[in-house]
């Protein structure tokens, strides 16, 4: 059973990533990442 | 191994900040690579970075969670958590030791010839406060009247953001200089504190604060790549404890060798004279153990 844990975890997170891609989350990440975040860098 | 790791760290720092032609009129990269989170602390507002920061992206998603939910969208960062989980389930906290540019900076600062200080171990609980408090709970639940939260860790703490984005942008874009206020100086103080601290203590940010390191660290015990300590072949020289950059004291039994603190630098593996530290791989495809050098699992396989 112990040896199956990494495989299960790996596939679980692959599915989670796939779900995020299906839900269009990379677009949301992109939108935030290309905007200059003034508060994050402590300016605004 | 140590020299090889340093080369990988330098290449990775360059890879993470590989946008060479930056202009003041276009300070942020806006190409397709920004969809992808870099597995290290590397601010996405850094003019040289073509990647997204997983911590910044996660806080942004969580700070908009309620607003998105009101709009009928259940967005909790599956993509970000999933991509961090894929890396974590394969190599655990190895990105901290091999790929993180801020980790490299701390390693280099420690080479400054100054008297060295031990890290006070209870400070490592700060990582839990930073992850659960500043990255998850406060962005998600401390909301303004419009239902939006803030990126608490990025805004009030992250020294990587100040160093990689705040200072270069102030140098490049003169209009931003008039906007500098108390917040910037408080963040600059945090950055200076960590720079000075890194000169006297190994990896203080990774050990005391870093939420990303803690996320990867949770996978250390379950990842495909793991370390194994064999008590029977240990010669009690404690060289592993002397060289460990994050103070994982497994030979004396204080910590597990796969503790959340281990950044997988493999210094203990390289230096152990008795070969008591081994690297193990659990095969993801076949679901069985294969180890390097006489691990118990290998012996079991041989017997079978």
């Amino acid at each position: 059973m112990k040896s199956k844990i990494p495989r299960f975890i790996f596939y679980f997170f692959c599915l989670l990533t796939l779900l995020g891609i299906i839900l269009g989350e990379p677009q949301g990440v992109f939108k935030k990442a290309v905007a200059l975040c003034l508060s994050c860098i402590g300016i605004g | 191994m140590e020299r090889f790791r340093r080369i990988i760290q330098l290449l990775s720092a360059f890879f993470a900040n590989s946008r060479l032609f930056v202009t003041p009129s276009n300070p942020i990269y806006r190409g397709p690579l920004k969809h992808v989170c870099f597995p290290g602390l590397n601010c996405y507002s850094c003019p040289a970075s073509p990647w997204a920061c997983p911590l910044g992206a996660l806080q942004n998603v969580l700070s908009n969670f309620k607003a998105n939910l009101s709009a009928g969208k259940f967005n909790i960062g599956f993509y970000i958590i999933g991509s961090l989980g894929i890396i974590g389930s394969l190599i655990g906290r190895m990105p901290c030791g091999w790929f993180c540019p801020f980790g490299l900076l701390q390693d280099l600062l420690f080479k400054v010839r100054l008297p060295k200080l031990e890290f006070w171990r209870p400070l490592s609980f700060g990582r839990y406060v930073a992850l659960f408090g500043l990255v998850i709970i406060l962005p998600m639940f401390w909301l303004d009247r419009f239902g939006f939260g803030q990126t608490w860790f990025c805004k009030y703490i992250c020294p990587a953001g100040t160093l990689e984005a705040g200072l270069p942008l102030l140098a490049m874009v003169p209009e931003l200089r008039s906007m500098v206020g108390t917040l910037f100086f408080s963040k600059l103080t945090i950055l200076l504190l960590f720079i000075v601290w890194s000169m006297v203590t190994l990896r203080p940010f990774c050990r005391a604060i870093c939420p990303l390191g803690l996320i990867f660290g949770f996978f250390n015990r379950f990842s495909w790549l793991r370390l194994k300590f064999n008590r029977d072949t240990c010669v009690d020289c404690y060289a592993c404890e002397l060289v460990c950059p994050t103070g994982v004291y497994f030979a004396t039994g204080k910590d597990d060798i796969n503790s959340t603190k281990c950044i997988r630098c493999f210094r203990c593996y390289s230096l152990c004279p008795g070969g008591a530290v081994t690297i193990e791989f659990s095969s993801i495809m076949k679901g069985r153990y294969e180890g390097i050098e006489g691990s118990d699992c290998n012996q079991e396989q041989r017997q079978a």
Side-chain angles (χ1 to χ4, degrees):
Chain A
M1 188 63 202
K2 192 181 170 190
S3 64
K4 287 183 180 171
I5 290 172
R7 184 169 50 167
F8 166 73
I9 291 176
F10 178 75
Y11 290 146
F12 170 75
F13 283 106
C14 285
L15 283 174
L16 216 57
T17 309
L18 207 61
L19 181 64
I21 292 170
I22 291 165
L23 291 172
E25 285 184 359
Q27 276 301 324
V29 170
F30 179 78
K31 274 182 197 164
K32 291 292 175 187
V34 296
L36 185 58
C37 181
L38 293 178
S39 65
C40 294
I41 58 181
I43 292 175
Chain B
M1 177 82 84
E2 193 60 12
R3 184 168 290 181
F4 176 63
R5 187 171 74 94
R6 189 71 76 228
I7 292 168
I8 298 290
Q9 279 182 302
L10 288 166
L11 287 174
S12 176
F14 176 73
F15 186 64
N17 297 287
S18 51
R19 187 177 173 235
L20 298 176
F21 304 104
V22 183
T23 55
S25 58
N26 186 19
I28 300 290
Y29 170 81
R30 292 188 166 88
L33 290 177
K34 281 276 182 184
H35 288 93
V36 183
C37 296
F38 183 79
L41 204 65
N42 200 61
C43 187
Y44 51 33
S45 287
C46 171
S49 174
W51 310 95
C53 168
L55 274 187
L58 185 62
Q59 286 171 85
N60 267 308
V61 167
L62 295 179
S63 63
N64 291 336
F65 176 70
K66 197 183 172 193
N68 279 333
L69 204 61
S70 308
K73 283 168 71 181
F74 186 76
N75 188 348
I76 202 160
F78 294 119
Y79 170 68
I80 305 156
I81 298 166
S83 46
L84 290 178
I86 289 172
I87 295 165
S89 60
L90 288 175
I91 53 177
R93 209 182 157 177
M94 197 172 160
C96 303
W98 292 72
F99 310 132
C100 181
F102 204 67
L104 170 66
L105 176 73
Q106 290 172 84
D107 282 350
L108 297 177
L109 285 170
F110 191 71
K111 290 189 177 295
V112 175
R113 291 190 179 182
L114 282 175
K116 303 301 178 190
L117 284 176
E118 274 282 306
F119 181 80
W120 191 48
R121 285 167 66 91
L123 285 177
S124 59
F125 286 103
R127 296 174 303 154
Y128 292 88
V129 176
L131 176 61
F132 293 107
L134 301 176
V135 174
I136 299 173
I137 295 171
L138 286 174
M140 221 170 160
F141 298 108
W142 190 300
L143 307 175
D144 62 17
R145 60 199 169 102
F146 304 108
F148 293 100
Q150 291 186 49
T151 54
W152 284 75
F153 181 77
C154 292
K155 186 170 180 178
Y156 297 106
I157 304 286
C158 188
T162 315
L163 180 70
E164 295 168 359
L167 292 172
L169 284 168
L170 281 179
M172 279 173 56
V173 189
E175 299 84 58
L176 291 176
R177 290 175 203 157
S178 59
M179 299 163 78
V180 165
T182 318
L183 179 62
F184 181 77
F185 288 110
S186 67
K187 283 196 73 179
L188 198 60
T189 309
I190 292 172
L191 171 64
L192 291 173
L193 175 82
F194 276 108
I195 285 177
V196 174
W197 197 3
S198 301
M199 290 178 193
V200 292
T201 302
L202 253 170
R203 297 252 183 172
F205 180 79
C206 307
R207 294 160 88 175
I209 301 285
C210 189
L212 186 60
L214 184 61
I215 294 172
F216 285 133
F218 286 140
F219 292 94
N220 272 354
R221 284 168 201 247
F222 313 105
S223 57
W224 169 68
L225 183 150
R226 263 176 278 184
L227 289 172
K228 185 178 168 67
F229 174 56
N230 192 341
R231 182 75 251 178
D232 297 335
T233 50
C234 177
V235 293
D236 292 325
C237 66
Y238 302 109
C240 50
E241 298 195 350
L242 289 172
V243 297
C244 182
T246 52
V248 182
Y249 299 146
F250 57 89
T252 44
K254 280 185 188 168
D255 295 304
D256 187 286
I257 192 167
N258 290 303
S259 137
T260 57
K261 289 185 270 185
C262 174
I263 58 166
R264 301 277 199 256
C265 65
F266 304 129
R267 280 183 181 177
C268 53
Y269 168 76
S270 307
L271 287 172
C272 183
V277 178
T278 52
I279 300 172
E280 283 189 339
F281 301 98
S282 70
S283 170
I284 284 170
M285 297 310 291
K286 295 172 191 166
R288 69 176 188 215
Y289 269 76
E290 288 163 3
I292 294 177
E293 290 191 17
S295 70
D296 290 345
C297 303
N298 249 2
Q299 285 164 11
E300 281 165 18
Q301 277 177 17
R302 278 199 292 270
Q303 282 165 6

